[in-house]
């Protein structure tokens, strides 16, 4: 039951009706016996500053932040942690002693998803397709976790230059360039960070010369709908270990849950609710 003592968390976005986070977090709070509630907070563009001030005024202990507010929100916060600064986006706020502190849990969430599958990162090489917001989080998370080198294949290298300037150790190629195809032989992890293959565009995939990919490479897609993209299906057929975007979504939620509660959530409860809601 919600009472005056119930701790409040929310998700600020526009729209937020489709978000799976309220169901996932409320189930995890209940499973942990925590008197917390997680509510959708639909905030129109133009209303973000007031919404952040509102978190403080209404006694929220934190919030998630989603599209389209993840970058703009940074200017309204009191502190921003190092990873969120390098990603350039905040997806989680903790309100502590009246101060709003911004984090990016996508970065750590992706690494936790890899670890759940026993995919190691330290000293390895990753090859990514795409250089947008999700790719930045993956790059920051993998560097924090000790990856050695990252190579990005993109359709538009000039747009991705900023990412290679912001992170030492990242090189960017046109994904049709032979030099990029050559990098596949040394990849330990291959990651699709583009929306290619996401519903309803199921027939799309980034271009991979599967014969050139290191046989032992793990192949990941940040997309979770559908659970098996054309990209992952091809990887499976070649015998690679695969991981879809469900792990990252649940992983980012688990990191946020820990920031708000100091407790480890039951990941299996979050995964169960996630799958159930996604099917609807
Ligand atoms: P974004 O910021 O828009 O970046 C998309 C990237 O993909 C850019 O590099 C873009 O290249 C490239 N791209 C887009 N359409 C393309 C096309 N038709 N052909 C070739 N390249 C294309 O998007 P994002 O936020 O990074 O999200 C990327 C994917 O990750 C989405 O599918 C999203 O749902 C998923 N995601 C999953 C999670 C999770 O928790 N599992 C979290 C975040 C994102 P240009 O710069 O040339 O446009």
């Amino acid at each position: 039951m919600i009472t005056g003592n119930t701790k409040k968390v929310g998700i600020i976005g526009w729209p937020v009706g489709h978000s799976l986070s309220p169901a996932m977090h409320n189930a995890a709070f209940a499973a942990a016996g925590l008197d917390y509630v997680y509510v959708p907070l639909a905030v129109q563009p133009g209303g973000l500053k007031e919404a952040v001030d509102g978190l403080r005024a209404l006694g929220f202990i934190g919030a998630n932040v989603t599209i389209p507010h993840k970058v703009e929100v940074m200017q309204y916060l009191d502190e921003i942690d190092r990873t969120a600064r390098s990603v350039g986006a905040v997806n989680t706020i903790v309100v502590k002693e009246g101060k709003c502190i911004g984090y990016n849990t996508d970065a750590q969430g992706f690494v936790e998803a890899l670890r759940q599958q026993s995919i190691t990162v330290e000293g390895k090489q990753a090859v990514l397709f795409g250089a947008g917001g999700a790719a930045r989080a993956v790059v920051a998370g993998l560097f924090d976790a000790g990856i050695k080198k990252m190579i990005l294949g993109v359709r538009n290298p000039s747009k991705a230059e900023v990412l290679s300037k912001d992170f030492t150790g990242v090189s960017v190629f046109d994904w049709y360039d032979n030099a990029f195809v050559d990098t596949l032989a040394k990849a330990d992890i291959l990651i699709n960070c583009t929306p290619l293959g996401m519903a309803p565009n199921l027939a799309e995939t980034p271009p991979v010369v599967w014969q050139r990919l290191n046989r032992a490479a793990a192949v990941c897609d940040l997309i979770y709908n559908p659970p098996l993209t054309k990209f992952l299906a091809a990887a499976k057929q070649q015998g690679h270990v695969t991981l879809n975007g469900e792990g990252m979504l649940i992983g980012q939620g688990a990191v946020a849950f820990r920031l708000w509660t100091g407790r480890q959530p039951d990941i299996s409860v979050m995964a169960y609710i996630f799958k159930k809601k996604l099917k609807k």
Side-chain angles (χ1 to χ4, degrees), residues 67 70 91 106 109-110 129-138 152-157 159-160 163 175 192-199 201 204-207 221-225 244-253 274:
I67 291 167
K70 284 181 175 189
N91 78 331
D106 283 334
F110 178 70
F129 287 101
R136 283 190 76 95
V138 166
L152 271 54
V154 294
R155 65 172 169 182
N156 190 346
K159 253 178 105 178
L163 206 153
W175 60 27
N192 176 28
C193 303
T194 77
L196 292 168
M198 187 165 71
N201 304 313
E204 295 178 345
T205 171
D221 201 324
L222 301 193
I223 294 169
Y224 52 78
N225 186 18
N244 70 18
E246 177 188 321
M248 178 175 178
L249 191 88
I250 293 169
Q252 63 76 28
F274 170 87

Side-chain angles (χ1 to χ4, degrees), residues 83-108:
T83 304
R85 260 186 276 127
S86 39
V87 176
V90 160
N91 78 331
T92 301
I93 298 172
V94 174
V95 187
K96 208 172 170 188
E97 291 156 8
K99 278 187 175 175
C100 285
I101 307 161
Y103 296 87
N104 189 303
T105 67
D106 283 334
Q108 199 181 334

